[in-house]
Amino acid sequence: MSSMIEVKSVGKSFGQLAVINDCSFSIEKGSITGMIGPNGAGKSTIFNIIAGTLPLDSGNIILDGEDVTNLSADRLFSKGLLRTFQIAHEFSHMTALENLMMVPPKQVGENLFSTWFQPSKVAKQEARNKRKALEVIDYIGLSHVKNELAGNLSGGQKKLLELGRTMMTDAKVVLLDEVAAGVNRTLLKGLTDNILRMNRDFGVTFLVIEHDMDMIAKLCDPVIVMAQGSVMVEGKIEDIQNNPRVIEAYFGSSDIA
């Protein structure tokens, strides 16, 4: 398999504190790769560097064969790299359906000239976006709340909506930031199932930072373990759970979970 993301010798410091140290790993195309480690291991920092929300000090980030080092999040979005957030970032005063319709880039209705002098062109694109949004909201199982204000949705429904927003574009890779946080077990199953379906049906590559080890075990192969700003070990979850170095460094017992 070829790599969708390559992290090459990345370094990042905040003042005198080195947070990421010569960190290198690859995310294979079509994989669902997990990333785990204790607080302070550098997971969120390397995640934000890949997502374009934090500049690196050294090294390179390669996306699908292209060097995208220190490109901004909006430019990465146009290249097919998207992210979700631990706390959902919905447009709370818009409906769930409208949240999805906001996502597609380069909408002609954003141009004042088009809204005044090309209303039929705007209307046609809006209709296309609405059709796709209806398909997506049905796919993720939120049709029953499509007309509800997004701010009124539960935490789990907001996470599903964020996942749906990634489907409104031609996403190549989606970075999931603790998607299980604050989600009840029923909706968590729906989230997990939708991630697996997107991976299977559309070939979307995922990088998942998560503390829920049951979710990691169900979703992810391989799993990357971060330690002191670099990769400690990488492999299948069952091997990692029994790895003495991981047990000793992070968990102090034989039970990772």
Side-chain angles (χ1 to χ4, degrees):
M1 297 176 68
S2 57
S3 296
M4 177 60 74
I5 296 173
E6 296 176 74
V7 174
K8 296 186 172 182
S9 302
V10 168
K12 176 66 180 178
S13 297
F14 295 98
Q16 298 300 311
L17 178 63
V19 179
I20 302 296
N21 303 287
D22 194 26
C23 183
S24 298
F25 59 86
S26 295
I27 308 297
E28 299 300 329
K29 285 184 180 179
S31 71
I32 304 178
T33 299
M35 180 173 286
I36 64 173
N39 293 333
K43 304 184 305 298
S44 294
T45 301
I46 196 68
F47 188 94
N48 287 325
I49 287 171
I50 296 170
T53 57
L54 190 66
L56 53 74
D57 296 331
S58 59
N60 298 88
I61 304 294
I62 311 297
L63 174 65
D64 201 15
E66 178 184 357
D67 193 323
V68 296
T69 304
N70 284 339
L71 286 191
S72 60
D74 61 307
R75 293 181 66 186
L76 291 171
F77 174 88
S78 69
K79 295 179 183 295
L81 187 149
L82 293 79
R83 70 167 295 174
T84 68
F85 295 86
Q86 182 177 350
I87 300 174
H89 286 45
E90 78 283 353
F91 297 105
S92 59
H93 297 294
M94 301 175 71
T95 68
L97 188 65
E98 289 167 342
N99 267 259
L100 296 181
M101 293 176 64
M102 283 287 292
V103 176
K106 299 179 181 178
Q107 297 193 41
V108 292
E110 296 172 357
N111 184 291
L112 189 59
F113 177 89
S114 297
T115 60
W116 284 356
F117 300 108
Q118 298 177 310
S120 62
K121 184 176 181 181
V122 173
K124 286 179 182 178
Q125 188 182 60
E126 284 285 301
R128 287 196 301 270
N129 288 342
K130 186 173 183 178
R131 285 195 299 271
K132 183 166 185 179
L134 286 168
E135 292 173 0
V136 168
I137 210 162
D138 182 62
Y139 186 92
I140 61 176
L142 289 181
S143 293
H144 60 296
V145 293
K146 66 184 178 185
N147 295 319
E148 182 66 61
L149 293 180
N152 295 338
L153 301 182
S154 71
Q157 289 171 331
K158 290 177 181 179
K159 293 289 183 74
L160 276 169
L161 187 62
E162 279 213 329
L163 193 62
R165 289 198 300 208
T166 70
M167 297 178 64
M168 291 296 295
T169 69
D170 296 322
K172 294 180 181 179
V173 56
V174 176
L175 312 181
L176 299 177
D177 186 3
E178 296 197 29
V179 70
V183 179
N184 68 49
R185 305 312 295 183
T186 299
L187 282 174
L188 183 57
K189 183 181 185 304
L191 273 167
T192 303
D193 290 346
N194 273 287
I195 293 165
L196 289 167
R197 288 171 65 205
M198 287 175 64
N199 176 257
R200 181 191 67 228
D201 295 347
F202 307 112
V204 178
T205 302
F206 288 93
L207 173 61
V208 184
I209 291 180
E210 188 52 66
H211 288 294
D212 188 311
M213 296 306 300
D214 289 337
M215 187 177 188
I216 287 286
K218 181 174 181 179
L219 280 178
C220 301
D221 183 17
V223 176
I224 296 168
V225 182
M226 291 286 291
Q228 298 179 339
S230 60
V231 176
M232 180 184 197
V233 65
E234 178 179 347
K236 294 182 178 296
I237 186 62
E238 56 266 28
D239 296 330
I240 285 171
Q241 286 177 314
N242 294 297
N243 186 302
R245 293 178 62 209
V246 175
I247 294 168
E248 177 65 25
Y250 294 105
F251 304 102
S253 72
S254 60
D255 184 5
I256 283 184

